[in-house]
C-alpha cells in the first residue's frame, strides 16, 4: 500500500476522512455549543448540546468532496449542517427512506449506499449496525436503522467507520468480510436512563480489538453530547489496563490521525 488515510476527529461523530484523493465529511453536527436541548430520558439530560464548540470553520468542513449521513439523528445531521452544506454536494444515505428525507431538505445529489458503491475510484461498502440492545430498541423505536461504511482502495488501508452501534454480530461480520486496517468506533457509551448503552463503551471497544487485533482502533463520539458518559481518559486507562493501548487512538476534537 502506497497511500495513507487521514481521519480528523471534528466533534461528536463528525469526522473527516481523507482517503485515496477524496475527502468525506461524515455525520455533520454544526450547531453552536449549547444551542440544542439535551436528549430527553437520557443521562445528564439537563445539559444543552453540543457540550463543546466546533473546533474548525464550517467552510473547511463543507469543502469535502462528499458527505455521508449514517443515520439522521439530530447529533449526526442537524439543521446547521443542512444550512451550511451546498445543496448540490454529493450526499450518501443508508437507505432510500433516509435519502428521501435529505432530498426533502433541498439536496439534489443524494445517493444510497450499497455494499459496492463507487465514488472517485473508491469503494464505499455499507455495513449494518444496531443502535442499542433489543430491549433498548423496543423501548425507543425512534433509534431506528443505522449503518457504517467501509472505505476500500487498492493502494490505501481499508478503513471501517462503524457508526452508532454496539458490539454485535453486525460488527463481527463487517470485520470478517472487509478485514479493515483501521476501525473508527463511536465509543462514548451513550445512555438512555434505565437501559443498556446505545453505542459502544469500554467492553465493546475491547471486543472489537479482540475480533481485529491487528487493526488500529480510533475512538470517536466522545465528550460532546449530554448522554455520552465515557471520557477519553477513562477509555485510555481501560486500554492500558487491558493491554491494548498501542492499538487505540483517542483523538481530541480537531486532531488528525494517520493510518
Amino acid at each position: 500500500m502506497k497511500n495513507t488515510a487521514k481521519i480528523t476527529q471534528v466533534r461528536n461523530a463528525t469526522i473527516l476522512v481523507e482517503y485515496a484523493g477524496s475527502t468525506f465529511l461524515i455525520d455533520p453536527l454544526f450547531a453552536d455549543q449549547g444551542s440544542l436541548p439535551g436528549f430527553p430520558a437520557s443521562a445528564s439530560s439537563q445539559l444543552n448540546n453540543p457540550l463543546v464548540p466546533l473546533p474548525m470553520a464550517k467552510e473547511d468542513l463543507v469543502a469535502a468532496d462528499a458527505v455521508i449521513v449514517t443515520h439522521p439523528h439530530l447529533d449526526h445531521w442537524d439543521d446547521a449542517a443542512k444550512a451550511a452544506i451546498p445543496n448540490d454536494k454529493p450526499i450518501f444515505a443508508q437507505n432510500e427512506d433516509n435519502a428521501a428525507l435529505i432530498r426533502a431538505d433541498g439536496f439534489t445529489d443524494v445517493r444510497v449506499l450499497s455494499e459496492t458503491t463507487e465514488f472517485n475510484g473508491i469503494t464505499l461498502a455499507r455495513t449494518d449496525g444496531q443502535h442499542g440492545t433489543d430491549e433498548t430498541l423496543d423501548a425507543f423505536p425512534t433509534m431506528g436503522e443505522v449503518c457504517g461504511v467501509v472505505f476500500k482502495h487498492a493502494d490505501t488501508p481499508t478503513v471501517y467507520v462503524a457508526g452508532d452501534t454496539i458490539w454485535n454480530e453486525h460488527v463481527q461480520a463487517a470485520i470478517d468480510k472487509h478485514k479493515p486496517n483501521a476501525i473508527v468506533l463511536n465509543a462514548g457509551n451513550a445512555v438512555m436512563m434505565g437501559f443498556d448503552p446505545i453505542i459502544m463503551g469500554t467492553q465493546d471497544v475491547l471486543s472489537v480489538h479482540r475480533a481485529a487485533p491487528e487493526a488500529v482502533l480510533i475512538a470517536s463520539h466522545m465528550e460532546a453530547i449530554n448522554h455520552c458518559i465515557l471520557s477519553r481518559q477513562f477509555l485510555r486507562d481501560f486500554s492500558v489496563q487491558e493491554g491494548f493501548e498501542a492499538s487505540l487512538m483517542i483523538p481530541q476534537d480537531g486532531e488528525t490521525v494517520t493510518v
Side-chain angles (χ1 to χ4, degrees), residues 37-47 49 140 143 189-195 198 225-229:
F39 286 110
S42 70
S44 303
S45 61
Q46 76 279 5
L47 300 177
N49 291 319
F140 298 95
M143 288 297 168
N189 204 51
V191 170
M192 305 303 292
M193 297 306 294
F195 294 88
I198 57 175
I225 295 293
N226 70 275
H227 58 350
C228 290
I229 62 174

Side-chain angles (χ1 to χ4, degrees), residues 43 78-79 94 115 142 180-181 192 194 198 206 225 233 249-250:
D78 73 330
D79 287 343
Q94 66 167 329
E115 291 190 354
T142 56
N181 303 102
M192 305 303 292
I198 57 175
L206 179 57
I225 295 293
Q233 187 59 55
M249 296 179 175
I250 312 177

